Amino acid sequence: MKLRSRSTDVRAYARTTQVRLVVGALVLLFAVGIGLIWVFYGPGAAGLGFLCLLGALVPIALIAIGLWFLDAVVRRERGEGAP
């Protein structure tokens, strides 16, 4: 039995793993957080909690977009290609 050697791109695997972790954390934060607020304080408080979480994500998203842009510029200058 011959084993095929698969070339594994560790960077791509790490990138997808990080994206999945961030998405999972956000889903947990919103689902569990808003769900608990809904249970203990009602739908009005859950709506305001949702708005507060969205407001908190705005600066985080702006920072992430800025870092992604800087990474793209550095990759282009090094000749590695765009992500």
Side-chain angles (χ1 to χ4, degrees), residues 4-54:
R4 283 190 254 165
S5 72
R6 292 192 300 173
S7 63
T8 306
D9 187 5
V10 178
R11 289 181 184 170
Y13 179 74
R15 189 177 308 121
T16 58
T17 301
Q18 288 174 350
V19 168
R20 288 178 182 173
L21 283 172
V22 168
V23 169
L26 288 175
V27 168
L28 276 175
L29 176 69
F30 276 84
V32 174
I34 300 300
L36 287 173
I37 292 172
W38 186 294
V39 167
F40 288 114
Y41 298 108
L48 288 175
F50 181 74
L51 288 176
C52 286
L53 285 175
L54 284 180

Side-chain angles (χ1 to χ4, degrees), residues 28-80:
L28 276 175
L29 176 69
F30 276 84
V32 174
I34 300 300
L36 287 173
I37 292 172
W38 186 294
V39 167
F40 288 114
Y41 298 108
L48 288 175
F50 181 74
L51 288 176
C52 286
L53 285 175
L54 284 180
L57 286 179
V58 169
I60 295 170
L62 289 174
I63 291 169
I65 290 169
L67 289 174
W68 176 80
F69 176 73
L70 289 173
D71 183 48
V73 169
V74 168
R75 284 177 185 251
R76 188 175 329 133
E77 290 297 321
R78 286 185 180 169
E80 296 175 6

